[in-house]
Amino acid sequence: MALDEQHITRAEKYIREEMSAEERTSFEAELSTNDALRVAFDFVKDTEKALEVTEYKRLKSMLKENSKSSGFRFKRWLGIAASVALVATFGYLIFGVDQTTTEDLYNQYYEAYPNIVDPVNRSSDGGNSPFQLYELGNLDEALDYFSVMATSDTTLFYKGQVHMSLGNYEKSVTAFSRLDKSSTFYVSSQWYLALAHLKLGDNKNAERILKPLSEGDSNYADRARKIIESL
Amino acid sequence: MSKDTKDWILRIKEGAEEELKGLYTLYEEEFKTWSGAMYSLSEAEAADVFQDAVITFYFNVKKGKLTTLTSTVKTYLFAIGKNLALKKIRKDNRLVVDNEVMEFNANVAYEELRVECSERQQLIAGCLQQLGDPCYSILRMFYFDRFSMDSIAQRLGYKNEHVVKSQKLRCLQRLRGMLEKKAVNNEDDV
């Protein structure tokens, strides 16, 4: 059963206590007779709870790292990390343990960034903007548009995305490098910039960019840490 | 209400996590010393309790359960910390001489943290981790931070609130699809 937008909106209003007493009573009565509404309500309620638990874990771990008593843990972790590095180095030297190639890493982690600016929807026939052309995979056409559009952080970011999708990694590096820290796309551009460097075999620059990402609290932190560990 | 209290609530409502770290660091040592003396908490236990107290404060602000305070943030945090510490030592059956400190018995109302969740909610949490951005950010900003669609559009660089709204619906549909797949796989494993 597909999720109905109206049912979701009503469920959200109910959960957030934004309904009048009458609306609440009517909503509760309808829950027992309308399966689609029940499905939407349960899903919204469970998603909200799941997000709460996820955020709790993330914040707890952030404060733990920030705690003054974590010095010991950090030192111990450093010790473990050093031992692991030592064993891995000897393992590689003695047994020739195979290393993951940067190509593998790129393939494992690269996923094109979605069009969040102007998504294709039911009311548009698609292809109304370079963002929609990108979403629909009309990359050459999208690139033509981006090339003549006024330069902004958004157009630069998506131009970089188009170049990546087309395999023009050097050009994507140029585009992503031009975004500055004030851009909403800055963190994402750094992630893709690192992936483009990886693809070009420039591990040194990839690692330099991944390091601050791995230490930050964005959604890329875990993935950045994993790539650094594999390099 | 003191200016300090109002500022913290506003800053947290705006979603500044760095502020949360700052708030924690500001009173961590004092809480450790105080809870160690009052409830014999070890340094690690005190840190754990105080982290939960700060997160409880954060969640209450985000959920709109806490909009004003009659005390300072420090009193509020220490009062929650005190309740959590008492809960902990009662659970461990530890004997403690409780010299009540009235200072931290101010009129403090808050919703307790409840991090236990059902199996289905755990599955959804797993799917959320795999969902990635921008979906995770949109859903988190809407359901957890309680930002308006307009605010999310501005924060994430969307054209307008309508675009965010349709993107959010797609994200929910995608999340549900992932959940159904996972549920089927789990059934197959049984």
Side-chain angles (χ1 to χ4, degrees):
Chain A
M1 192 182 294
L3 290 169
D4 180 277
E5 191 172 3
Q6 279 191 346
H7 288 158
I8 288 173
T9 307
R10 287 180 69 203
E12 287 165 353
K13 276 189 169 177
Y14 178 84
I15 292 167
R16 290 181 178 200
E17 298 176 1
E18 289 170 0
M19 282 181 167
S20 67
E22 275 173 44
E23 282 173 326
R24 284 187 79 79
T25 311
S26 140
F27 182 85
E28 283 160 8
E30 204 181 327
L31 271 183
S32 52
T33 54
N34 186 338
D35 286 346
L37 182 66
R38 164 62 69 183
V39 166
F41 173 71
D42 286 343
F43 187 64
V44 168
K45 191 164 57 82
D46 287 341
T47 301
E48 199 170 296
K49 182 70 190 175
L51 274 162
E52 207 175 297
V53 173
T54 308
E55 283 302 297
Y56 168 77
K57 286 181 184 164
R58 192 176 64 79
L59 293 168
K60 182 87 181 171
S61 136
M62 179 184 90
L63 292 181
K64 263 187 187 169
E65 285 296 314
N66 204 45
S67 176
K68 284 168 189 156
S69 58
S70 64
F72 171 70
R73 261 201 318 274
F74 181 63
K75 279 179 201 157
R76 197 173 58 173
W77 180 86
L78 267 184
I80 294 168
S83 313
V84 169
L86 204 64
V87 169
T89 307
F90 277 107
Y92 181 70
L93 289 174
I94 298 166
F95 304 109
V97 177
D98 205 11
Q99 299 281 298
T100 311
T101 66
T102 51
E103 182 77 24
D104 292 340
L105 284 172
Y106 177 85
N107 292 335
Q108 187 181 344
Y109 288 100
Y110 170 72
E111 196 179 332
Y113 195 87
N115 163 23
I116 66 167
V117 178
D118 188 13
V120 179
N121 55 39
R122 277 188 218 135
S123 57
S124 69
D125 56 1
N128 290 334
S129 74
F131 301 101
Q132 294 189 352
L133 289 167
Y134 164 70
E135 181 179 340
L136 294 167
N138 299 331
L139 300 173
D140 290 322
E141 218 178 321
L143 191 58
D144 288 343
Y145 271 99
F146 282 128
S147 302
V148 294
M149 279 171 86
T151 304
S152 70
D153 62 329
T154 308
T155 55
L156 272 175
F157 178 71
Y158 278 96
K159 199 172 169 185
Q161 289 296 330
V162 174
H163 278 308
M164 269 191 110
S165 300
L166 286 168
N168 306 330
Y169 302 104
E170 275 159 7
K171 286 183 179 169
S172 67
V173 166
T174 310
F176 292 137
S177 300
R178 289 178 63 194
L179 272 90
D180 70 38
K181 284 187 178 173
S182 60
S183 168
T184 44
F185 292 106
Y186 179 73
V187 175
S188 297
S189 73
Q190 290 296 294
W191 168 248
Y192 286 100
L193 183 58
L195 288 181
H197 280 305
L198 262 189
K199 183 72 183 179
L200 291 166
D202 184 354
N203 293 8
K204 201 176 158 195
N205 266 321
E207 199 168 347
R208 178 181 58 78
I209 295 159
L210 288 169
K211 197 162 182 296
L213 278 179
S214 71
E215 289 162 356
D217 52 12
S218 72
N219 274 323
Y220 299 111
D222 272 353
R223 284 174 275 175
R225 269 194 292 273
K226 282 177 188 159
I227 295 182
I228 291 172
E229 282 164 17
S230 307
L231 286 175
Chain B
M1 183 176 55
S2 72
K3 185 176 181 292
D4 154 74
T5 300
K6 191 180 173 187
D7 282 349
W8 280 114
I9 289 180
L10 279 177
R11 279 182 272 171
I12 284 175
K13 252 197 153 356
E14 278 303 302
E17 280 178 11
E18 285 303 312
E19 305 283 0
L20 195 69
K21 281 189 200 172
L23 186 60
Y24 177 76
T25 311
L26 194 60
Y27 299 118
E28 181 191 13
E29 283 308 305
E30 201 177 333
F31 184 82
K32 281 179 183 170
T33 311
W34 176 74
S35 59
M38 297 301 298
Y39 305 112
S40 307
L41 292 191
S42 70
E43 198 182 338
E45 285 171 333
D48 186 52
V49 163
F50 195 57
Q51 283 152 15
D52 280 350
V54 172
I55 297 173
T56 302
F57 170 65
Y58 188 77
F59 273 40
N60 274 267
V61 173
K62 288 283 182 194
K63 285 175 144 186
K65 303 275 176 195
L66 181 67
T67 50
T68 52
L69 274 177
T70 48
S71 61
T72 63
V73 174
K74 180 186 158 187
T75 304
Y76 187 84
L77 291 177
F78 275 51
I80 303 173
K82 178 188 161 182
N83 290 341
L84 293 173
L86 284 170
K87 217 182 225 180
K88 182 169 185 59
I89 56 181
R90 274 189 209 119
K91 196 176 150 200
D92 298 348
N93 282 327
R94 274 149 57 177
L95 283 172
V96 166
V97 180
D98 185 9
N99 300 316
E100 286 289 322
V101 178
M102 295 310 289
E103 191 189 346
F104 300 127
N105 284 337
N107 185 18
V108 166
Y110 63 93
E111 189 180 276
E112 284 184 29
L113 273 181
R114 292 187 198 286
V115 286
E116 308 82 25
C117 59
S118 68
E119 199 178 323
R120 181 175 140 98
Q121 287 159 353
Q122 277 176 31
L123 277 179
I124 296 178
C127 294
L128 280 166
Q129 297 284 349
Q130 291 167 11
L131 198 57
D133 266 339
C135 279
Y136 185 81
S137 292
I138 292 174
L139 297 180
R140 192 202 72 201
M141 286 182 182
F142 185 78
Y143 290 113
F144 180 75
D145 294 313
R146 307 253 171 140
F147 292 149
S148 66
M149 287 294 183
D150 190 39
S151 169
I152 298 173
Q154 283 177 27
R155 284 164 198 268
L156 295 179
Y158 282 80
K159 198 174 179 181
N160 56 42
E161 60 187 281
H162 304 295
V163 177
V164 183
K165 208 176 166 194
S166 62
Q167 182 71 27
K168 179 187 141 244
L169 183 65
R170 287 177 192 206
C171 293
L172 283 175
Q173 306 275 24
R174 204 174 132 210
L175 180 67
R176 189 147 179 270
M178 288 166 79
L179 175 69
E180 280 174 356
K181 225 179 203 176
K182 225 171 197 181
V184 168
N185 287 343
N186 281 4
E187 271 174 29
D188 289 347
D189 291 342
V190 174

